[in-house]
Amino acid sequence: MSDERLVGIVLVSHSAEVAASVAELAKGLAGGGPAVLVAPAGGTEGGGLGTSAELIAAAAASVDRGAGVAVLTDLGSAVLTVKALLAEGDELPEQTRLVDAPFVEGAVAAVVTAATGADLAAVESAAAEAYTYRKV
């Protein structure tokens, strides 16, 4: 399957290293199927801790292939930054959704689901369902 119609995934963290590592983990656990486009958007332009609207918008544009973009975030201000971008209306691809999901487990579920060719609603649902994963 071509990546042309797969949902893109953006992982927004306050840390560039965390975003990149979670992206690598999720892609690795997706099992080498179709190349889901996953873009980390972590930290600030200067490499510090924080979030950057510019980095998030660039990441979303880089994974947009017309099937939608699912954005997962780590902590509070990352959520606020994505919400502000969505409210502006022209900074993110048209079919971009902020997904309410745990960051690591949700990212893995989103990437695995997107790799099957599922639509944006299914990717969002799979990621959100990760809240129910029990560890004990």
Side-chain angles (χ1 to χ4, degrees), residues 12-14 50-51 56 72-84 98 100-101 103 131:
V12 181
S13 173
H14 284 70
T51 56
I56 296 166
L72 287 84
T73 62
D74 62 358
L75 302 168
S77 66
V79 174
L80 295 175
T81 303
V82 174
K83 283 184 174 183
L98 173 59
D100 184 10
F103 193 61
Y131 273 128

Side-chain angles (χ1 to χ4, degrees), residues 3 9 20 25 27 32 39 42-43 49 52 54 60 66 81 91 93 96-97 105 112 116 127 131:
D3 71 353
I9 312 291
L25 174 67
K27 287 184 73 152
L49 294 177
S52 162
E54 292 78 16
T81 303
E91 296 294 318
T96 298
R97 288 192 194 160
E105 295 91 335
V112 168
T116 69
Y131 273 128

Side-chain angles (χ1 to χ4, degrees), residues 1-2 5 11 13 17-18 22 29 34 47 49 51 56 60 68 84 98 101 106 128 130:
M1 175 182 297
S2 165
R5 293 300 298 164
L11 302 177
S13 173
E17 292 82 3
V18 169
V22 173
L29 293 177
L49 294 177
T51 56
I56 296 166
L98 173 59

